PDB file of all heavy atoms in Angstrom:
ATOM      1  N   MET O   1     -53.574 159.690 -34.430  1.00 77.00           N
ATOM      2  CA  MET O   1     -53.366 158.636 -35.463  1.00 77.00           C
ATOM      3  C   MET O   1     -51.949 158.773 -36.072  1.00 77.00           C
ATOM      4  O   MET O   1     -51.301 157.791 -36.325  1.00 77.00           O
ATOM      5  CB  MET O   1     -54.443 158.779 -36.521  1.00 77.00           C
ATOM      6  CG  MET O   1     -54.372 157.770 -37.591  1.00 77.00           C
ATOM      7  SD  MET O   1     -54.787 156.154 -36.953  1.00 77.00           S
ATOM      8  CE  MET O   1     -54.708 155.208 -38.365  1.00 77.00           C
ATOM      9  N   LYS O   2     -51.545 160.037 -36.282  1.00 79.00           N
ATOM     10  CA  LYS O   2     -50.220 160.258 -36.834  1.00 79.00           C
ATOM     11  C   LYS O   2     -49.105 159.730 -35.973  1.00 79.00           C
ATOM     12  O   LYS O   2     -48.170 159.136 -36.408  1.00 79.00           O
ATOM     13  CB  LYS O   2     -50.043 161.735 -37.150  1.00 79.00           C
ATOM     14  CG  LYS O   2     -48.736 162.090 -37.834  1.00 79.00           C
ATOM     15  CD  LYS O   2     -48.586 163.548 -38.118  1.00 79.00           C
ATOM     16  CE  LYS O   2     -47.306 163.885 -38.777  1.00 79.00           C
ATOM     17  NZ  LYS O   2     -47.145 165.301 -39.044  1.00 79.00           N
ATOM     18  N   ASN O   3     -49.271 159.926 -34.650  1.00 82.00           N
ATOM     19  CA  ASN O   3     -48.279 159.401 -33.714  1.00 82.00           C
ATOM     20  C   ASN O   3     -48.166 157.912 -33.758  1.00 82.00           C
ATOM     21  O   ASN O   3     -47.044 157.373 -33.640  1.00 82.00           O
ATOM     22  CB  ASN O   3     -48.593 159.891 -32.276  1.00 82.00           C
ATOM     23  CG  ASN O   3     -48.404 161.357 -32.081  1.00 82.00           C
ATOM     24  OD1 ASN O   3     -47.671 161.991 -32.821  1.00 82.00           O
ATOM     25  ND2 ASN O   3     -49.071 161.894 -31.065  1.00 82.00           N
ATOM     26  N   LEU O   4     -49.330 157.225 -33.918  1.00 86.00           N
ATOM     27  CA  LEU O   4     -49.297 155.780 -33.974  1.00 86.00           C
ATOM     28  C   LEU O   4     -48.520 155.307 -35.194  1.00 86.00           C
ATOM     29  O   LEU O   4     -47.723 154.349 -35.127  1.00 86.00           O
ATOM     30  CB  LEU O   4     -50.737 155.273 -34.040  1.00 86.00           C
ATOM     31  CG  LEU O   4     -50.901 153.755 -34.185  1.00 86.00           C
ATOM     32  CD1 LEU O   4     -50.314 153.048 -33.010  1.00 86.00           C
ATOM     33  CD2 LEU O   4     -52.361 153.417 -34.357  1.00 86.00           C
ATOM     34  N   ILE O   5     -48.674 155.969 -36.333  1.00 85.00           N
ATOM     35  CA  ILE O   5     -47.964 155.601 -37.531  1.00 85.00           C
ATOM     36  C   ILE O   5     -46.458 155.784 -37.358  1.00 85.00           C
ATOM     37  O   ILE O   5     -45.640 154.960 -37.685  1.00 85.00           O
ATOM     38  CB  ILE O   5     -48.478 156.410 -38.737  1.00 85.00           C
ATOM     39  CG1 ILE O   5     -49.923 156.011 -39.038  1.00 85.00           C
ATOM     40  CG2 ILE O   5     -47.617 156.225 -39.945  1.00 85.00           C
ATOM     41  CD1 ILE O   5     -50.598 156.884 -40.049  1.00 85.00           C
ATOM     42  N   VAL O   6     -46.110 156.948 -36.759  1.00 84.00           N
ATOM     43  CA  VAL O   6     -44.664 157.181 -36.541  1.00 84.00           C
ATOM     44  C   VAL O   6     -44.034 156.147 -35.582  1.00 84.00           C
ATOM     45  O   VAL O   6     -42.959 155.648 -35.854  1.00 84.00           O
ATOM     46  CB  VAL O   6     -44.464 158.641 -35.964  1.00 84.00           C
ATOM     47  CG1 VAL O   6     -43.037 158.856 -35.486  1.00 84.00           C
ATOM     48  CG2 VAL O   6     -44.869 159.682 -36.976  1.00 84.00           C
ATOM     49  N   VAL O   7     -44.737 155.855 -34.520  1.00 85.00           N
ATOM     50  CA  VAL O   7     -44.238 154.886 -33.541  1.00 85.00           C
ATOM     51  C   VAL O   7     -44.106 153.508 -34.234  1.00 85.00           C
ATOM     52  O   VAL O   7     -43.114 152.798 -34.035  1.00 85.00           O
ATOM     53  CB  VAL O   7     -45.131 154.788 -32.295  1.00 85.00           C
ATOM     54  CG1 VAL O   7     -44.792 153.611 -31.436  1.00 85.00           C
ATOM     55  CG2 VAL O   7     -45.050 156.066 -31.487  1.00 85.00           C
ATOM     56  N   THR O   8     -45.091 153.128 -35.043  1.00 81.00           N
ATOM     57  CA  THR O   8     -45.024 151.859 -35.773  1.00 81.00           C
ATOM     58  C   THR O   8     -43.850 151.805 -36.713  1.00 81.00           C
ATOM     59  O   THR O   8     -43.142 150.795 -36.780  1.00 81.00           O
ATOM     60  CB  THR O   8     -46.316 151.674 -36.533  1.00 81.00           C
ATOM     61  OG1 THR O   8     -47.389 151.687 -35.623  1.00 81.00           O
ATOM     62  CG2 THR O   8     -46.322 150.288 -37.244  1.00 81.00           C
ATOM     63  N   LEU O   9     -43.577 152.905 -37.420  1.00 81.00           N
ATOM     64  CA  LEU O   9     -42.450 152.905 -38.330  1.00 81.00           C
ATOM     65  C   LEU O   9     -41.096 152.852 -37.596  1.00 81.00           C
ATOM     66  O   LEU O   9     -40.172 152.142 -38.017  1.00 81.00           O
ATOM     67  CB  LEU O   9     -42.443 154.163 -39.163  1.00 81.00           C
ATOM     68  CG  LEU O   9     -43.575 154.249 -40.224  1.00 81.00           C
ATOM     69  CD1 LEU O   9     -43.621 155.625 -40.899  1.00 81.00           C
ATOM     70  CD2 LEU O   9     -43.416 153.178 -41.238  1.00 81.00           C
ATOM     71  N   ILE O  10     -40.988 153.512 -36.474  1.00 80.00           N
ATOM     72  CA  ILE O  10     -39.777 153.501 -35.692  1.00 80.00           C
ATOM     73  C   ILE O  10     -39.537 152.076 -35.133  1.00 80.00           C
ATOM     74  O   ILE O  10     -38.409 151.554 -35.221  1.00 80.00           O
ATOM     75  CB  ILE O  10     -39.807 154.521 -34.575  1.00 80.00           C
ATOM     76  CG1 ILE O  10     -39.733 155.931 -35.139  1.00 80.00           C
ATOM     77  CG2 ILE O  10     -38.683 154.312 -33.550  1.00 80.00           C
ATOM     78  CD1 ILE O  10     -39.947 157.026 -34.132  1.00 80.00           C
ATOM     79  N   CYS O  11     -40.592 151.504 -34.607  1.00 77.00           N
ATOM     80  CA  CYS O  11     -40.438 150.098 -34.102  1.00 77.00           C
ATOM     81  C   CYS O  11     -40.049 149.136 -35.183  1.00 77.00           C
ATOM     82  O   CYS O  11     -39.238 148.208 -34.979  1.00 77.00           O
ATOM     83  CB  CYS O  11     -41.717 149.704 -33.390  1.00 77.00           C
ATOM     84  SG  CYS O  11     -42.059 150.518 -31.844  1.00 77.00           S
ATOM     85  N   SER O  12     -40.618 149.292 -36.357  1.00 75.00           N
ATOM     86  CA  SER O  12     -40.291 148.425 -37.469  1.00 75.00           C
ATOM     87  C   SER O  12     -38.839 148.563 -37.870  1.00 75.00           C
ATOM     88  O   SER O  12     -38.154 147.568 -38.161  1.00 75.00           O
ATOM     89  CB  SER O  12     -41.175 148.740 -38.643  1.00 75.00           C
ATOM     90  OG  SER O  12     -42.544 148.429 -38.373  1.00 75.00           O
ATOM     91  N   ALA O  13     -38.356 149.822 -37.914  1.00 71.00           N
ATOM     92  CA  ALA O  13     -36.981 150.087 -38.270  1.00 71.00           C
ATOM     93  C   ALA O  13     -36.051 149.475 -37.247  1.00 71.00           C
ATOM     94  O   ALA O  13     -35.007 148.859 -37.562  1.00 71.00           O
ATOM     95  CB  ALA O  13     -36.751 151.544 -38.401  1.00 71.00           C
ATOM     96  N   LEU O  14     -36.346 149.603 -35.949  1.00 69.00           N
ATOM     97  CA  LEU O  14     -35.497 149.085 -34.932  1.00 69.00           C
ATOM     98  C   LEU O  14     -35.519 147.557 -34.875  1.00 69.00           C
ATOM     99  O   LEU O  14     -34.551 146.889 -34.562  1.00 69.00           O
ATOM    100  CB  LEU O  14     -35.874 149.617 -33.555  1.00 69.00           C
ATOM    101  CG  LEU O  14     -35.626 151.120 -33.364  1.00 69.00           C
ATOM    102  CD1 LEU O  14     -36.132 151.600 -31.998  1.00 69.00           C
ATOM    103  CD2 LEU O  14     -34.127 151.427 -33.464  1.00 69.00           C
ATOM    104  N   ALA O  15     -36.667 146.953 -35.194  1.00 69.00           N
ATOM    105  CA  ALA O  15     -36.755 145.504 -35.212  1.00 69.00           C
ATOM    106  C   ALA O  15     -35.987 144.913 -36.360  1.00 69.00           C
ATOM    107  O   ALA O  15     -35.530 143.780 -36.334  1.00 69.00           O
ATOM    108  CB  ALA O  15     -38.219 145.081 -35.287  1.00 69.00           C
ATOM    109  N   GLY O  16     -35.834 145.692 -37.458  1.00 64.00           N
ATOM    110  CA  GLY O  16     -35.142 145.202 -38.609  1.00 64.00           C
ATOM    111  C   GLY O  16     -33.637 145.103 -38.467  1.00 64.00           C
ATOM    112  O   GLY O  16     -32.980 144.382 -39.239  1.00 64.00           O
ATOM    113  N   CYS O  17     -33.049 145.779 -37.507  1.00 58.00           N
ATOM    114  CA  CYS O  17     -31.633 145.688 -37.288  1.00 58.00           C
ATOM    115  C   CYS O  17     -31.348 145.182 -35.894  1.00 58.00           C
ATOM    116  O   CYS O  17     -31.934 145.643 -34.945  1.00 58.00           O
ATOM    117  CB  CYS O  17     -30.964 147.038 -37.543  1.00 58.00           C
ATOM    118  SG  CYS O  17     -31.847 148.439 -36.923  1.00 58.00           S
ATOM    119  N   ASN O  18     -30.460 144.265 -35.793  1.00 61.00           N
ATOM    120  CA  ASN O  18     -30.215 143.562 -34.519  1.00 61.00           C
ATOM    121  C   ASN O  18     -29.104 144.229 -33.672  1.00 61.00           C
ATOM    122  O   ASN O  18     -28.930 143.759 -32.553  1.00 61.00           O
ATOM    123  CB  ASN O  18     -29.898 142.114 -34.808  1.00 61.00           C
ATOM    124  CG  ASN O  18     -31.090 141.372 -35.396  1.00 61.00           C
ATOM    125  OD1 ASN O  18     -32.186 141.693 -35.078  1.00 61.00           O
ATOM    126  ND2 ASN O  18     -30.822 140.431 -36.316  1.00 61.00           N
ATOM    127  N   THR O  19     -28.355 145.119 -34.228  1.00 65.00           N
ATOM    128  CA  THR O  19     -27.247 145.669 -33.481  1.00 65.00           C
ATOM    129  C   THR O  19     -27.280 147.170 -33.477  1.00 65.00           C
ATOM    130  O   THR O  19     -28.004 147.808 -34.279  1.00 65.00           O
ATOM    131  CB  THR O  19     -25.890 145.225 -34.092  1.00 65.00           C
ATOM    132  OG1 THR O  19     -25.820 145.778 -35.399  1.00 65.00           O
ATOM    133  CG2 THR O  19     -25.810 143.718 -34.183  1.00 65.00           C
ATOM    134  N   VAL O  20     -26.534 147.782 -32.581  1.00 65.00           N
ATOM    135  CA  VAL O  20     -26.396 149.241 -32.578  1.00 65.00           C
ATOM    136  C   VAL O  20     -25.827 149.743 -33.883  1.00 65.00           C
ATOM    137  O   VAL O  20     -26.229 150.778 -34.416  1.00 65.00           O
ATOM    138  CB  VAL O  20     -25.547 149.705 -31.350  1.00 65.00           C
ATOM    139  CG1 VAL O  20     -25.334 151.174 -31.399  1.00 65.00           C
ATOM    140  CG2 VAL O  20     -26.251 149.290 -30.081  1.00 65.00           C
ATOM    141  N   ALA O  21     -24.888 149.001 -34.391  1.00 66.00           N
ATOM    142  CA  ALA O  21     -24.283 149.399 -35.697  1.00 66.00           C
ATOM    143  C   ALA O  21     -25.337 149.437 -36.807  1.00 66.00           C
ATOM    144  O   ALA O  21     -25.326 150.298 -37.641  1.00 66.00           O
ATOM    145  CB  ALA O  21     -23.115 148.497 -36.051  1.00 66.00           C
ATOM    146  N   GLY O  22     -26.207 148.434 -36.779  1.00 70.00           N
ATOM    147  CA  GLY O  22     -27.286 148.370 -37.760  1.00 70.00           C
ATOM    148  C   GLY O  22     -28.198 149.590 -37.614  1.00 70.00           C
ATOM    149  O   GLY O  22     -28.633 150.177 -38.650  1.00 70.00           O
ATOM    150  N   VAL O  23     -28.494 150.046 -36.409  1.00 70.00           N
ATOM    151  CA  VAL O  23     -29.341 151.201 -36.198  1.00 70.00           C
ATOM    152  C   VAL O  23     -28.620 152.422 -36.764  1.00 70.00           C
ATOM    153  O   VAL O  23     -29.242 153.235 -37.476  1.00 70.00           O
ATOM    154  CB  VAL O  23     -29.636 151.388 -34.741  1.00 70.00           C
ATOM    155  CG1 VAL O  23     -30.366 152.721 -34.505  1.00 70.00           C
ATOM    156  CG2 VAL O  23     -30.466 150.247 -34.186  1.00 70.00           C
ATOM    157  N   GLY O  24     -27.361 152.529 -36.519  1.00 76.00           N
ATOM    158  CA  GLY O  24     -26.565 153.647 -37.072  1.00 76.00           C
ATOM    159  C   GLY O  24     -26.556 153.690 -38.587  1.00 76.00           C
ATOM    160  O   GLY O  24     -26.707 154.746 -39.179  1.00 76.00           O
ATOM    161  N   GLU O  25     -26.441 152.531 -39.185  1.00 79.00           N
ATOM    162  CA  GLU O  25     -26.464 152.471 -40.650  1.00 79.00           C
ATOM    163  C   GLU O  25     -27.813 152.852 -41.197  1.00 79.00           C
ATOM    164  O   GLU O  25     -27.953 153.573 -42.175  1.00 79.00           O
ATOM    165  CB  GLU O  25     -26.125 151.070 -41.121  1.00 79.00           C
ATOM    166  CG  GLU O  25     -24.657 150.732 -40.899  1.00 79.00           C
ATOM    167  CD  GLU O  25     -24.352 149.280 -41.283  1.00 79.00           C
ATOM    168  OE1 GLU O  25     -25.201 148.599 -41.866  1.00 79.00           O
ATOM    169  OE2 GLU O  25     -23.226 148.828 -41.028  1.00 79.00           O
ATOM    170  N   ASP O  26     -28.936 152.411 -40.541  1.00 78.00           N
ATOM    171  CA  ASP O  26     -30.271 152.764 -40.946  1.00 78.00           C
ATOM    172  C   ASP O  26     -30.528 154.282 -40.810  1.00 78.00           C
ATOM    173  O   ASP O  26     -31.089 154.875 -41.722  1.00 78.00           O
ATOM    174  CB  ASP O  26     -31.303 152.037 -40.118  1.00 78.00           C
ATOM    175  CG  ASP O  26     -31.329 150.553 -40.427  1.00 78.00           C
ATOM    176  OD1 ASP O  26     -30.818 150.146 -41.491  1.00 78.00           O
ATOM    177  OD2 ASP O  26     -31.922 149.780 -39.604  1.00 78.00           O
ATOM    178  N   ILE O  27     -30.005 154.876 -39.776  1.00 82.00           N
ATOM    179  CA  ILE O  27     -30.147 156.319 -39.583  1.00 82.00           C
ATOM    180  C   ILE O  27     -29.378 157.073 -40.642  1.00 82.00           C
ATOM    181  O   ILE O  27     -29.823 158.058 -41.216  1.00 82.00           O
ATOM    182  CB  ILE O  27     -29.714 156.761 -38.155  1.00 82.00           C
ATOM    183  CG1 ILE O  27     -30.693 156.160 -37.132  1.00 82.00           C
ATOM    184  CG2 ILE O  27     -29.602 158.259 -38.048  1.00 82.00           C
ATOM    185  CD1 ILE O  27     -30.298 156.359 -35.717  1.00 82.00           C
ATOM    186  N   THR O  28     -28.173 156.601 -40.962  1.00 86.00           N
ATOM    187  CA  THR O  28     -27.374 157.198 -41.997  1.00 86.00           C
ATOM    188  C   THR O  28     -28.017 157.105 -43.333  1.00 86.00           C
ATOM    189  O   THR O  28     -28.073 158.085 -44.067  1.00 86.00           O
ATOM    190  CB  THR O  28     -25.980 156.549 -42.025  1.00 86.00           C
ATOM    191  OG1 THR O  28     -25.378 156.720 -40.759  1.00 86.00           O
ATOM    192  CG2 THR O  28     -25.100 157.192 -43.057  1.00 86.00           C
ATOM    193  N   ASP O  29     -28.589 155.962 -43.664  1.00 85.00           N
ATOM    194  CA  ASP O  29     -29.280 155.790 -44.921  1.00 85.00           C
ATOM    195  C   ASP O  29     -30.508 156.721 -44.999  1.00 85.00           C
ATOM    196  O   ASP O  29     -30.778 157.295 -46.053  1.00 85.00           O
ATOM    197  CB  ASP O  29     -29.742 154.322 -45.066  1.00 85.00           C
ATOM    198  CG  ASP O  29     -28.552 153.412 -45.299  1.00 85.00           C
ATOM    199  OD1 ASP O  29     -27.455 153.874 -45.626  1.00 85.00           O
ATOM    200  OD2 ASP O  29     -28.755 152.159 -45.168  1.00 85.00           O
ATOM    201  N   GLY O  30     -31.226 156.845 -43.904  1.00 82.00           N
ATOM    202  CA  GLY O  30     -32.409 157.736 -43.852  1.00 82.00           C
ATOM    203  C   GLY O  30     -31.988 159.173 -44.061  1.00 82.00           C
ATOM    204  O   GLY O  30     -32.617 159.924 -44.814  1.00 82.00           O
ATOM    205  N   ALA O  31     -30.882 159.572 -43.392  1.00 85.00           N
ATOM    206  CA  ALA O  31     -30.456 160.961 -43.555  1.00 85.00           C
ATOM    207  C   ALA O  31     -29.971 161.241 -44.938  1.00 85.00           C
ATOM    208  O   ALA O  31     -30.172 162.323 -45.483  1.00 85.00           O
ATOM    209  CB  ALA O  31     -29.307 161.209 -42.538  1.00 85.00           C
ATOM    210  N   THR O  32     -29.311 160.262 -45.556  1.00 85.00           N
ATOM    211  CA  THR O  32     -28.854 160.417 -46.935  1.00 85.00           C
ATOM    212  C   THR O  32     -30.020 160.574 -47.893  1.00 85.00           C
ATOM    213  O   THR O  32     -30.012 161.419 -48.822  1.00 85.00           O
ATOM    214  CB  THR O  32     -28.033 159.191 -47.385  1.00 85.00           C
ATOM    215  OG1 THR O  32     -26.934 159.104 -46.474  1.00 85.00           O
ATOM    216  CG2 THR O  32     -27.473 159.347 -48.771  1.00 85.00           C
ATOM    217  N   ALA O  33     -31.078 159.823 -47.673  1.00 82.00           N
ATOM    218  CA  ALA O  33     -32.281 159.925 -48.537  1.00 82.00           C
ATOM    219  C   ALA O  33     -32.968 161.291 -48.345  1.00 82.00           C
ATOM    220  O   ALA O  33     -33.336 161.871 -49.400  1.00 82.00           O
ATOM    221  CB  ALA O  33     -33.267 158.797 -48.138  1.00 82.00           C
ATOM    222  N   VAL O  34     -33.061 161.748 -47.130  1.00 81.00           N
ATOM    223  CA  VAL O  34     -33.683 163.081 -46.940  1.00 81.00           C
ATOM    224  C   VAL O  34     -32.817 164.154 -47.569  1.00 81.00           C
ATOM    225  O   VAL O  34     -33.314 165.096 -48.149  1.00 81.00           O
ATOM    226  CB  VAL O  34     -33.878 163.315 -45.399  1.00 81.00           C
ATOM    227  CG1 VAL O  34     -34.260 164.749 -45.179  1.00 81.00           C
ATOM    228  CG2 VAL O  34     -34.939 162.395 -44.853  1.00 81.00           C
ATOM    229  N   GLN O  35     -31.466 164.050 -47.416  1.00 82.00           N
ATOM    230  CA  GLN O  35     -30.594 165.017 -48.009  1.00 82.00           C
ATOM    231  C   GLN O  35     -30.759 165.043 -49.534  1.00 82.00           C
ATOM    232  O   GLN O  35     -30.709 166.112 -50.145  1.00 82.00           O
ATOM    233  CB  GLN O  35     -29.153 164.685 -47.646  1.00 82.00           C
ATOM    234  CG  GLN O  35     -28.159 165.701 -48.061  1.00 82.00           C
ATOM    235  CD  GLN O  35     -26.727 165.332 -47.648  1.00 82.00           C
ATOM    236  OE1 GLN O  35     -26.493 164.203 -47.269  1.00 82.00           O
ATOM    237  NE2 GLN O  35     -25.806 166.289 -47.713  1.00 82.00           N
ATOM    238  N   GLY O  36     -31.016 163.882 -50.093  1.00 79.00           N
ATOM    239  CA  GLY O  36     -31.186 163.794 -51.537  1.00 79.00           C
ATOM    240  C   GLY O  36     -32.453 164.542 -52.003  1.00 79.00           C
ATOM    241  O   GLY O  36     -32.476 165.059 -53.109  1.00 79.00           O
ATOM    242  N   TRP O  37     -33.471 164.506 -51.204  1.00 78.00           N
ATOM    243  CA  TRP O  37     -34.716 165.238 -51.529  1.00 78.00           C
ATOM    244  C   TRP O  37     -34.525 166.732 -51.577  1.00 78.00           C
ATOM    245  O   TRP O  37     -35.142 167.427 -52.337  1.00 78.00           O
ATOM    246  CB  TRP O  37     -35.820 164.963 -50.503  1.00 78.00           C
ATOM    247  CG  TRP O  37     -36.239 163.465 -50.454  1.00 78.00           C
ATOM    248  CD1 TRP O  37     -36.046 162.579 -51.461  1.00 78.00           C
ATOM    249  CD2 TRP O  37     -36.946 162.829 -49.398  1.00 78.00           C
ATOM    250  NE1 TRP O  37     -36.559 161.344 -51.050  1.00 78.00           N
ATOM    251  CE2 TRP O  37     -37.070 161.491 -49.804  1.00 78.00           C
ATOM    252  CE3 TRP O  37     -37.380 163.264 -48.165  1.00 78.00           C
ATOM    253  CZ2 TRP O  37     -37.733 160.554 -48.998  1.00 78.00           C
ATOM    254  CZ3 TRP O  37     -38.004 162.278 -47.362  1.00 78.00           C
ATOM    255  CH2 TRP O  37     -38.180 160.994 -47.779  1.00 78.00           C
ATOM    256  N   PHE O  38     -33.594 167.214 -50.715  1.00 75.00           N
ATOM    257  CA  PHE O  38     -33.373 168.682 -50.681  1.00 75.00           C
ATOM    258  C   PHE O  38     -32.269 169.048 -51.663  1.00 75.00           C
ATOM    259  O   PHE O  38     -32.099 170.097 -52.114  1.00 75.00           O
ATOM    260  CB  PHE O  38     -33.021 169.144 -49.279  1.00 75.00           C
ATOM    261  CG  PHE O  38     -34.143 169.043 -48.310  1.00 75.00           C
ATOM    262  CD1 PHE O  38     -34.188 168.082 -47.326  1.00 75.00           C
ATOM    263  CD2 PHE O  38     -35.283 169.871 -48.437  1.00 75.00           C
ATOM    264  CE1 PHE O  38     -35.237 167.998 -46.428  1.00 75.00           C
ATOM    265  CE2 PHE O  38     -36.347 169.766 -47.574  1.00 75.00           C
ATOM    266  CZ  PHE O  38     -36.318 168.792 -46.601  1.00 75.00           C
TER     267      PHE O  38
END
């Protein structure tokens, strides 16, 4: 069940950005958020 949730989230994130640059920005934003938690 956990794998299904992870796959769904990844697909949603990739569907939200139409370009490779958009994917890079999303990854950077995610890394910044995680870094903020620590």
Side-chain angles (χ1 to χ4, degrees):
M1 182 68 177
K2 184 178 179 180
N3 289 339
L4 178 62
I5 294 171
V6 171
V7 169
T8 303
L9 290 173
I10 290 171
C11 289
S12 297
L14 291 176
C17 41
N18 295 326
T19 63
V20 174
V23 173
E25 289 176 9
D26 290 344
I27 292 172
T28 301
D29 291 342
T32 302
V34 171
Q35 186 178 14
W37 295 341
F38 291 110

